[in-house]
Amino acid sequence: MNDIVLSDAKSGSALFQSIWQTVVDGMIVINHLGIIQMVNPATLKVFGYTEEELIGKNVKILMPNRYSSEHDQYLSNFMGGGPNKIIGIGRIVEGETKDGQEISMYLAVSELMVGDQVCFVGILRDLTEKVRAENDILRAKEEAERANMAKSHFLSSMSHELRTPMNTILGFAQLLQVTDENQIKYELYQEAVQHILKSGDHLLNLIDDVLDLSKIEAGIIAVSLEDIDVNEIVDECIDLTKFTATSNNIKVVFKPDNKGKTFIHADRGRVRQSLINLISNGIKYNREDGSVTISFETLDNGFVRIKVTDTGYGIPERQHEKLFIPFDRLGLENSAIEGSGVGLAITQKIVRMMQGDIGFSSTPDGSQFWIDLPAGNINNEMEVTSQEIEGVIGEAGKKMNGRILYIEDNPSNIALLKQIVQKVYPGIVFDSCISAELGLEYIQDHPCDMIFMDINLPGMSGIDAMKCLERLYRDLPPVVAITADVSKLTISKIKKQKFSEMLAKPINLLETVEVLERYL
Amino acid sequence: MKFLYVEDKPMNTRVLRLFVEQLWGEDLTSVETAEEGLDLIGKEDFDLVFMDINLPQMSGLEAIRYIKNKLNKTTLPIIVVSAATDTNVIADAYESGCRAFIKKPVNIMNFKDITERVLKTDETIAVA
């Protein structure tokens, strides 16, 4: 049947025409000089040209610049018997569309004679999407392999780091064990105990840091953002690093900016952790009688930059890229300076969790580390006037007495609630503790009539503190949860506990008084 | 017996020195870098060398190769003492020519057993 159709010149030509017009692949015919003779609609669709725009043009028009410049030479070489790169073979090549997009296509070229003229027919198929998808997969695979490598590297470094203090602990313990009890020299005994304790402490710090790092990496840790006074938190951190500073003989100086109060919007506990980390690094890696200076500035991009500058020996350029890699202590592994090598890795991760960033610059005269955190809103006047309170409540509550405890690490919140309570109920004793641990201790000695509990506390969380309270006391006074983190996760965690009420930060006068009236 | 320990962490050296004193009543010569170790091995005869891997400049494994190939001390017994636990690292250590591999934290009885076997025989002892 086919034979009959093809043997008929007229219907053969009609058949060719309809194939040419409808075939899915692009077809293009050029002469021996590379001039386009024919293009089919599929080709036009791929490249976005009209037929008129292509016929009579050099085929180079369909190639990216870097190839088109070589095409003439290649074609004339081939005509002169030179090497063949594509004719009769077919491979993936790059093309360029009318609007300048580069595309990947499979191109097969065959050579034929029309009369005494050499022509070339190219058949092409657009593979751009396929090639892009393949490249994406390849990239994802490489990324996964890199992550996997990093993970194994992390694990083997961690194993190495944990084994080092273990060697000291077990070494001395075994020595005590194998030495005849009556022959143990007091010096050996003393030395062993001292080293076991010291290495034990080091090991514990290491474990805490590793746990913290992996929790952050697993995304288990939530940040609870609030507006924090920069002066206040820096002062607090300097206070907490005082012991390290004095024992290393390093002066820690704070140069506050005197333009009034500056606030950052961040997680209090995590900012504290980051700053303490940078300050203690500055103290530890300093020169004798050196100093650490803390300052800050508001940037144009809506961030506040807190800078910690030391007078140490600086970090050699070649080690800069290793700075944030866990366990890499840049060759200081054996120095007398203690550290897990995880601090900066943790700091970088938590700063980024708060939408901030960390960076540094270093010269042989010292290094400066900075963290940028989103600027916060300057808290509205925290003062509550008597008139405001009068407006909210009559005389009824004023005769009340009893004891209220507020467990909260943020001093401004304590001050605010204290004002409210003291103005509305002058007879009530108001006390506060800055951690859940201290709060639990306080309650043992001071029975309370009502407890306000912040949820995001340093150390034990408000949720865990509530669990302890439930276990410890059968007749629990009303406990009100106060949180700045109103994410679904936190709220559902709060609701699982037996809190009487939940208040969202910022503390609202009316709501607070209502809660006090209801439960006192 | 003359023992040499190439180890950069003073606490590890202290523990091993006490082990050696306790077990055999012997002294332990120690250096903190592979370079110092090679220098000393070139000058003095040791009965046994304990070698750490992670050292500040030249690694312990490079040092072993140097001892075997350049210093021609092919029969000097070397025991690697390392906190590395990667099977690749352990394989590399045996390939470099160590007679035994002791993992940190060092178990004193294991240490005694392996050291005595290395001194008494020519065998290479697999890692425990």
Side-chain angles (χ1 to χ4, degrees):
Chain A
M1 199 109 139
N2 287 350
D3 285 347
I4 299 166
V5 174
L6 286 175
S7 66
D8 179 348
K10 211 170 165 195
S11 52
S13 159
L15 178 66
F16 171 76
Q17 266 306 319
S18 80
I19 291 174
W20 181 260
Q21 292 296 328
T22 57
V23 69
V24 177
D25 289 341
M27 295 172 84
I28 184 164
V29 181
I30 61 171
N31 70 6
H32 68 286
L33 295 171
I35 305 302
I36 299 171
Q37 309 294 309
M38 289 169 78
V39 278
N40 76 338
T43 308
L44 300 174
K45 202 174 149 209
V46 169
F47 287 95
Y49 286 103
T50 63
E51 195 169 353
E52 296 71 42
E53 286 173 319
L54 291 182
I55 300 292
K57 297 274 166 53
N58 193 303
V59 72
K60 290 188 292 190
I61 190 173
L62 300 177
M63 301 172 189
N65 250 331
R66 57 182 191 279
Y67 302 114
S68 61
S69 52
E70 297 165 7
H71 192 255
D72 285 341
Q73 191 61 44
Y74 165 66
L75 204 61
S76 76
N77 281 353
F78 177 74
M79 295 301 291
N84 169 22
K85 286 188 189 164
I86 193 157
I87 291 152
I89 308 168
R91 61 187 172 96
I92 293 179
V93 300
E94 310 303 322
E96 190 175 289
T97 64
K98 186 178 175 184
D99 57 12
Q101 295 280 340
E102 210 165 282
I103 57 170
S104 300
M105 56 190 181
Y106 187 83
L107 177 67
V109 179
S110 51
E111 187 183 0
L112 64 143
M113 297 293 290
V114 179
D116 57 355
Q117 283 247 342
V118 177
C119 277
F120 300 96
V121 182
I123 296 185
L124 57 100
R125 178 173 288 183
D126 185 3
L127 294 180
T128 308
E129 283 311 312
K130 189 170 178 275
V131 168
R132 187 174 300 153
E134 279 172 2
N135 284 341
D136 284 351
I137 292 171
L138 211 63
R139 249 196 306 279
K141 185 171 164 263
E142 282 167 3
E143 188 56 45
E145 279 167 356
R146 225 185 340 263
N148 204 15
M149 286 273 287
K151 194 119 244 170
S152 337
H153 180 75
F154 176 83
L155 282 177
S156 77
S157 318
M158 182 171 77
S159 158
H160 191 275
E161 287 313 303
L162 294 175
R163 278 162 189 278
T164 300
M166 279 313 278
N167 194 48
T168 309
I169 295 172
L170 292 178
F172 278 103
Q174 291 175 92
L175 274 166
L176 293 180
Q177 189 189 32
V178 298
T179 312
D180 191 328
E181 219 172 297
N182 303 314
Q183 290 185 355
I184 289 185
K185 289 196 194 106
Y186 185 64
E187 292 79 40
L188 173 67
Y189 172 79
Q190 249 190 333
E191 187 191 353
V193 169
Q194 190 199 335
H195 289 316
I196 289 171
L197 287 175
K198 204 168 165 212
S199 295
D201 273 343
H202 175 67
L203 193 59
L204 187 62
N205 284 334
L206 209 57
I207 291 170
D208 283 342
D209 281 354
V210 168
L211 267 183
D212 205 23
L213 187 66
S214 57
K215 273 190 200 157
I216 294 168
E217 278 186 340
I220 296 172
I221 287 176
V223 285
S224 144
L225 304 178
E226 57 182 302
D227 292 322
I228 303 164
D229 183 341
V230 178
N231 281 312
E232 190 184 290
I233 196 140
V234 171
D235 275 335
E236 207 180 305
C237 293
I238 291 179
D239 212 43
L240 289 165
T241 48
K242 205 168 257 166
F243 178 74
T244 327
T246 348
S247 46
N248 283 276
N249 209 11
I250 300 291
K251 225 180 3 195
V252 179
V253 195
F254 179 30
K255 289 197 176 149
D257 115 10
N258 292 321
K259 295 176 203 148
K261 289 196 166 188
T262 304
F263 287 84
I264 45 174
H265 192 64
D267 182 299
R268 183 173 292 274
R270 292 293 171 179
V271 173
R272 200 186 286 130
Q273 184 185 8
S274 307
L275 282 178
I276 288 177
N277 207 316
L278 295 185
I279 298 171
S280 31
N281 277 351
I283 294 171
K284 288 193 292 183
Y285 305 102
N286 215 316
R287 60 189 87 207
E288 230 169 284
D289 298 324
S291 66
V292 175
T293 308
I294 302 142
S295 60
F296 65 88
E297 58 181 321
T298 305
L299 306 176
D300 293 337
N301 59 2
F303 281 77
V304 175
R305 174 167 294 189
I306 307 177
K307 297 176 280 192
V308 179
T309 313
D310 63 51
T311 53
Y313 295 94
I315 303 148
E317 181 108 29
R318 66 195 153 81
Q319 294 181 323
H320 284 188
E321 58 181 86
K322 293 192 201 153
L323 212 48
F324 295 98
I325 297 176
F327 302 119
D328 210 316
R329 293 196 58 211
L330 314 179
L332 290 171
E333 287 80 358
N334 312 310
S335 65
I337 306 169
E338 285 176 26
S340 64
V342 187
L344 280 179
I346 292 181
T347 306
Q348 184 185 49
K349 291 214 157 69
I350 58 187
V351 167
R352 288 188 177 165
M353 261 168 74
M354 298 186 285
Q355 316 306 322
D357 208 356
I358 183 169
F360 68 97
S361 58
S362 190
T363 71
D365 297 323
S367 306
Q368 179 180 80
F369 281 81
W370 48 259
I371 50 177
D372 287 352
L373 289 165
N377 292 318
I378 294 172
N379 276 6
N380 293 326
E381 244 347 86
M382 287 292 238
E383 285 286 311
V384 184
T385 64
S386 302
Q387 281 91 334
E388 277 180 274
I389 289 171
E390 295 301 331
V392 172
I393 185 169
E395 298 287 309
K398 291 207 165 182
K399 289 176 198 97
M400 217 80 86
N401 48 36
R403 183 186 294 273
I404 290 180
L405 173 68
Y406 184 20
I407 303 176
E408 165 70 79
D409 61 329
N410 179 345
S412 6
N413 284 327
I414 296 176
L416 182 62
L417 193 67
K418 189 173 182 177
Q419 279 186 58
I420 296 175
V421 171
Q422 289 183 337
K423 284 181 179 156
V424 183
Y425 310 98
I428 279 183
V429 179
F430 180 92
D431 248 323
S432 61
C433 294
I434 55 161
S435 74
E437 290 83 352
L438 290 172
L440 291 173
E441 224 176 278
Y442 178 91
I443 296 161
Q444 280 189 342
D445 305 330
H446 307 84
C448 297
D449 300 290
M450 190 166 175
I451 298 166
F452 286 87
M453 175 92 74
D454 180 33
I455 296 304
N456 189 245
L457 289 164
M460 185 192 284
S461 76
I463 306 262
D464 289 337
M466 186 63 195
K467 287 183 191 159
C468 287
L469 282 175
E470 274 175 43
R471 244 175 283 139
L472 289 171
Y473 302 97
R474 198 176 296 160
D475 296 314
L476 204 57
V479 184
V480 179
I482 297 192
T483 179
D485 175 14
V486 288
S487 67
K488 273 188 186 154
L489 181 69
T490 305
I491 291 181
S492 81
K493 276 187 191 161
I494 291 173
K495 286 195 170 153
K496 279 191 197 132
Q497 307 305 318
K498 290 184 181 154
F499 287 109
S500 312
E501 195 82 35
M502 192 193 92
L503 288 176
K505 281 182 191 171
I507 293 173
N508 172 296
L509 175 63
L510 185 63
E511 269 178 15
T512 312
V513 173
E514 271 175 14
V515 167
L516 285 165
E517 278 292 283
R518 201 171 311 146
Y519 293 101
L520 270 180
Chain B
M1 280 291 161
K2 275 190 78 177
F3 294 114
L4 173 67
Y5 188 21
V6 186
E7 163 71 63
D8 57 338
K9 292 191 177 66
M11 277 323 300
N12 289 337
T13 310
R14 181 74 188 134
V15 169
L16 216 75
R17 170 166 292 121
L18 290 170
F19 278 14
V20 169
E21 268 174 27
Q22 169 71 30
L23 293 170
W24 305 292
E26 295 282 354
D27 194 25
L28 180 74
T29 308
S30 65
V31 289
E32 293 192 358
T33 65
E35 289 80 353
E36 290 171 274
L38 295 178
D39 192 42
L40 214 54
I41 291 167
K43 286 185 201 151
E44 295 176 34
D45 283 323
F46 288 97
D47 295 296
L48 182 72
V49 176
F50 298 109
M51 181 77 76
D52 182 26
I53 295 181
N54 280 347
L55 292 164
Q57 307 272 328
M58 183 192 271
S59 85
L61 299 189
E62 284 173 77
I64 297 177
R65 277 180 224 117
Y66 194 92
I67 294 165
K68 301 281 167 187
N69 303 330
K70 297 275 162 55
L71 299 180
N72 284 324
K73 304 244 174 186
T74 45
T75 54
L76 173 62
I78 301 173
I79 299 179
V80 169
V81 182
S82 169
T85 45
D86 259 348
T87 43
N88 290 337
V89 176
I90 296 173
D92 284 351
Y94 280 105
E95 209 165 297
S96 73
C98 73
R99 292 271 302 280
F101 189 109
I102 296 179
K103 282 186 197 167
K104 287 175 193 160
V106 180
N107 176 292
I108 191 167
M109 294 329 283
N110 185 41
F111 173 73
K112 174 178 189 282
D113 178 50
I114 288 178
T115 307
E116 285 173 357
R117 272 167 68 195
V118 164
L119 285 171
K120 271 182 215 145
T121 67
D122 295 332
E123 57 185 314
T124 297
I125 300 161
V127 65

